[in-house]
Amino acid sequence: MRSLRRRGTMCRPCALATFREMQANTMVQGWWGPMSVVITPITLLINLAALSTIRRIPEPVAAGHRPSLNPGKSVFKRPQGILGLIPLCLVLGVLLLAVVGIAAGSSDDNGAAPAVKVGSCVRGDTAATCSDPLRS
């Protein structure tokens, strides 16, 4: 795991090009470690704060010593951005399943699951449900 930061005085197009390149690379390369699964989403959100700062930079009015960088395609229109959505969706899916599992909890007040008897689902007992409808 490593953390990169690019500092310097940049015009808006150069700063946007740098942001897009680094954000797209983070979306692909940032997931490959045990702690990175937690740190990468946080890093992506922190980078969005940098994007808001970049958008406040005024457009250049005169040509500088050299031409500005081309900002290129937005992050999600690049191959890295699209590939980066796969681990991001997996991490968010696991978190969602964990939250749903915790919220569902147990169905009884004392924490124990209700007793299930054979045929209770056929008789329409509402206190217990069958876990395997193919068993008799």
Side-chain angles (χ1 to χ4, degrees), residues 8-33:
T9 305
M10 298 183 206
C11 64
R12 184 176 181 178
C14 290
L16 188 58
T18 303
F19 166 80
R20 288 179 175 174
E21 175 190 351
M22 292 184 74
Q23 187 82 337
N25 289 339
T26 300
M27 290 185 73
V28 172
Q29 299 170 356
W31 304 99
W32 305 111

Side-chain angles (χ1 to χ4, degrees), residues 121-132:
C121 58
V122 175
R123 287 190 299 272
D125 293 345
T126 58
T129 58
C130 292
S131 60
D132 189 359

Side-chain angles (χ1 to χ4, degrees), residues 9 11 22 40 56 61 65 67 77-79 82 89 91 99 103 110 117 132-133:
T9 305
C11 64
M22 292 184 74
T40 298
R56 287 187 297 225
V61 283
H65 300 298
K77 291 184 181 177
R78 297 172 185 230
I82 295 169
C89 290
V91 168
V99 168
N110 62 3
K117 297 178 184 172
D132 189 359

Side-chain angles (χ1 to χ4, degrees), residues 18-88:
T18 303
F19 166 80
R20 288 179 175 174
E21 175 190 351
M22 292 184 74
Q23 187 82 337
N25 289 339
T26 300
M27 290 185 73
V28 172
Q29 299 170 356
W31 304 99
W32 305 111
M35 291 300 295
S36 297
V37 172
V38 175
I39 294 171
T40 298
I42 295 168
T43 301
L44 292 171
L45 290 174
I46 291 171
N47 289 349
L48 290 179
L51 179 62
S52 68
T53 303
I54 291 169
R55 289 191 173 149
R56 287 187 297 225
I57 298 172
E59 288 287 335
V61 283
H65 300 298
R66 57 185 164 166
S68 298
L69 294 174
N70 181 5
K73 297 177 181 178
S74 68
V75 174
F76 293 110
K77 291 184 181 177
R78 297 172 185 230
Q80 301 100 319
I82 295 169
L83 287 174
L85 289 176
I86 296 169
L88 182 64

